[in-house]
Amino acid sequence: LSRSNLVISAAKASSIVTMATLIHGSCNIRGLIGITKVSKRLHRTIRHHGTPKIELFVFQSRQLSSNDDRHNVKNNDSEGKWSGDKNNKPHTSVWEQLQSPPNIITLTRIASTPVLAYCITSEQYVLAVWGCALAGMSDALDGYLAKTYNWGTTVGTYLDPVADKIMVNSLAVSLWYTSILPTPLIAVWAIKDIGLLSGTAWMLYKNYNSINFFTTSLAQKPLEVKPSQVAKVNTALQFATLGGMCGIY
């Protein structure tokens, strides 16, 4: 073959390999490196042995794509069953997100709130103290599980603070009902939490025209709630106040 024909053959071979690689999903750095290596090998082969058979290189390119796919699947599996993708789009429905271990703990905390409130109003303060202690530990546990095992969900970012506010204010009202906590303190806590919830609802409505965080959690780029360290310390102090007042009486 003449030099011009060799150049044309090399260009055609490179185009075929490139298209085969793109079709099989190697549009990443490793795929581009594979394309470069195959193209260089084609040029060397053409220089010494003439026009090669293209099928061999297409197979090698296809094998590179399969390796990349397995690598990507492995990385996706390591992200956790309930985690979202890089664009924060959840992979699962609201019901599946609620089944994540941190959210199960949070739902249990919500369900235990009426029981603890009844313990306080019926003056079973020992049980109330232990209940507050367990609630505080569960609040720390669900956060630890979400971060350590990547079990965090968009629904969980709303559910956890809502659960804390439901429990804290319910128990505070129970202690106020039994004349243990003063009215001004209950009013301050209630106004603060109403303001926070109202602000969150306004942000949701502004972005999604809805205040239903179960629905907005499935948006393409859902709005997540990230409490500050000050908020976390405040919640811990509120639980300590509630448990301490139950312990004193």
Side-chain angles (χ1 to χ4, degrees):
L1 294 176
S2 63
R3 185 177 182 82
S4 60
N5 289 335
L6 286 176
V7 172
I8 294 173
S9 299
K12 290 181 178 179
S14 298
S15 300
I16 293 173
V17 174
T18 302
M19 290 300 297
T21 306
L22 293 175
I23 290 173
H24 287 272
S26 294
C27 300
N28 50 35
I29 295 177
R30 292 184 64 187
L32 293 176
I33 293 174
I35 293 171
T36 304
K37 289 182 179 179
V38 171
S39 299
K40 288 182 179 178
R41 191 179 302 176
L42 276 170
H43 286 287
R44 286 198 301 267
T45 304
I46 291 171
R47 190 182 301 114
H48 292 92
H49 304 288
T51 305
K53 292 184 178 181
I54 303 303
E55 289 80 3
L56 175 63
F57 297 98
V58 173
F59 173 77
Q60 290 177 348
S61 175
R62 191 172 299 170
Q63 189 176 29
L64 284 172
S65 299
S66 300
N67 292 335
D68 289 344
D69 291 340
R70 287 195 295 270
H71 177 73
N72 291 333
V73 169
K74 183 177 179 181
N75 286 342
N76 289 336
D77 290 342
S78 65
E79 289 180 358
K81 177 180 178 181
W82 298 278
S83 61
D85 59 19
K86 293 181 180 180
N87 294 323
N88 294 327
K89 182 181 179 181
H91 293 308
T92 56
S93 65
V94 171
W95 173 246
E96 289 172 325
Q97 290 185 60
L98 289 175
Q99 295 179 58
S100 69
N103 288 339
I104 291 175
I105 295 173
T106 302
L107 291 172
T108 303
R109 191 161 67 250
I110 295 176
S112 66
T113 299
V115 178
L116 293 179
Y118 173 77
C119 290
I120 293 174
T121 55
S122 61
E123 299 184 354
Q124 302 180 47
Y125 297 123
V126 175
L127 292 177
V129 169
W130 282 106
C132 288
L134 290 175
M137 288 188 290
S138 71
D139 190 24
L141 178 62
D142 59 25
Y144 171 80
L145 293 176
K147 292 180 180 178
T148 304
Y149 298 100
N150 200 20
W151 286 343
T153 61
T154 305
V155 170
T157 65
Y158 294 94
L159 199 61
D160 185 65
V162 167
D164 291 341
K165 288 168 177 39
I166 290 174
M167 174 165 279
V168 166
N169 286 283
S170 297
L171 299 187
V173 170
S174 299
L175 289 171
W176 168 82
Y177 178 79
T178 55
S179 302
I180 295 178
L181 287 181
T183 301
L185 179 61
I186 304 302
V188 169
W189 285 6
I191 292 172
K192 175 184 71 69
D193 289 338
I194 290 173
L196 290 174
L197 292 175
S198 299
T200 303
W202 166 247
M203 289 299 297
L204 286 175
Y205 185 78
K206 183 179 178 181
N207 286 275
Y208 306 109
N209 293 324
S210 173
I211 61 173
N212 186 348
F213 64 83
F214 289 109
T215 300
T216 57
S217 295
L218 298 176
Q220 179 70 27
K221 291 185 178 181
L223 181 66
E224 295 185 352
V225 177
K226 295 183 179 180
S228 63
Q229 291 297 324
V230 174
K232 293 179 181 179
V233 171
N234 176 73
T235 301
L237 291 175
Q238 285 180 312
F239 275 116
T241 301
L242 297 171
M245 295 306 294
C246 291
I248 292 174
Y249 285 87

